[in-house]
Amino acid sequence: MHRRRRTALSVSVALLAAAPLLTACGGEAHPGAAAVVGGQRIEVSTLQSAVRDVREAQRATPESAQLIKDTAQLSQAKLNSMIFDRVLQRAADDAGVDVNRKEIQETRAQAAAQSGGEQQFAAMLLQQGALSSGQIDAAISREVLLNKVAGALGANTSTPEGQQKVLAVLTKTSKEMGIDVNPRYGSWDYQQVRLGETKSPWITQVTRQAPEQQPTDA
């Protein structure tokens, strides 16, 4: 098979100024929670753990100081992705689509091969997307699932029209779920489906060519 299609891997990370320090205190309504999505809590401790994994990986690199400086809003970026993943999963459930382990492994293997190997791939995602090695599969799963949701909607996410179609569904889904964010991290923008001024995790920042995947039953 020589047919090819675009396979996207989102590695966006918010690079905003004046980031508030991450603390262990939650909001008054939900102590200890960074956010509540659809009635389910995202604990501050869970968010802290994700941030800590990235910081540890960054500190192990020669360019650690610059990487840390460039990701001052890392806590917001990670919380943004955590909230978005729950919204996307609900939209996927409604659309009747899912992602399996084999699809994630195949997509990761393709992307790693195009990057010169797993080590180079992981280094690129740490630098460009603030992803630790343990967070890569979740990012890949997000993109594969997003593509499936778009497919179920008949939307081409490489076009503005297709993106708007997907955005409308995600906006509707997030409103139905209800998202309560600890003010420390900002507020949820239902229209843009993102946390404050962070980048939307579903808008592709890095698009790579990969062999077309064979259809896999969900």
Side-chain angles (χ1 to χ4, degrees), residues 3-7 110-111 114 208-213:
R3 295 180 1 180
R4 302 168 72 87
R5 74 173 186 180
R6 298 172 73 84
T7 298
Q110 291 170 355
Q114 293 170 344
R208 313 182 69 85
Q209 294 289 336
E212 183 176 7
Q213 296 177 354

Side-chain angles (χ1 to χ4, degrees), residues 105-128:
Q105 291 174 333
E106 289 179 346
T107 302
R108 180 167 181 166
Q110 291 170 355
Q114 293 170 344
S115 301
E118 180 66 30
Q119 184 174 353
Q120 291 86 342
F121 180 55
M124 179 193 73
L125 293 185
L126 175 62
Q127 182 178 28
Q128 298 182 13

Side-chain angles (χ1 to χ4, degrees), residues 158-190:
S158 67
T159 67
E161 295 79 10
Q163 291 180 5
Q164 286 300 316
K165 190 171 185 177
V166 175
L167 178 61
V169 170
L170 294 175
T171 294
K172 179 176 180 291
T173 301
S174 64
K175 286 181 177 179
E176 291 174 346
M177 295 179 73
I179 299 171
D180 181 12
V181 178
N182 186 321
R184 178 172 290 105
Y185 307 110
S187 60
W188 187 253
D189 184 336
Y190 287 99

Side-chain angles (χ1 to χ4, degrees), residues 16-143:
L16 306 178
L21 294 176
L22 194 66
T23 71
C25 299
E28 292 182 2
H30 306 283
V36 178
V37 184
Q40 297 184 339
R41 295 163 59 95
I42 297 177
E43 301 292 346
V44 169
S45 59
T46 301
L47 175 60
Q48 287 179 320
S49 178
V51 171
R52 183 167 55 249
D53 287 347
V54 174
R55 291 300 187 217
E56 289 176 354
Q58 289 174 330
R59 292 189 185 101
T61 67
E63 61 273 22
S64 60
Q66 188 62 48
L67 289 179
I68 293 173
K69 179 182 178 181
D70 288 344
T71 54
Q73 287 282 332
L74 183 58
S75 59
Q76 282 82 355
K78 288 301 173 185
L79 181 58
N80 183 46
S81 293
M82 290 178 180
I83 296 172
F84 179 83
D85 284 348
R86 296 191 181 193
V87 173
L88 178 60
Q89 186 59 60
R90 175 69 65 85
D93 292 342
D94 292 342
V97 296
D98 202 353
V99 176
N100 59 48
R101 183 63 184 168
K102 181 180 179 182
E103 291 172 302
I104 295 173
Q105 291 174 333
E106 289 179 346
T107 302
R108 180 167 181 166
Q110 291 170 355
Q114 293 170 344
S115 301
E118 180 66 30
Q119 184 174 353
Q120 291 86 342
F121 180 55
M124 179 193 73
L125 293 185
L126 175 62
Q127 182 178 28
Q128 298 182 13
L131 293 170
S132 68
S133 59
Q135 296 170 356
I136 295 175
D137 280 359
I140 292 174
S141 177
R142 178 185 308 127
E143 288 299 335

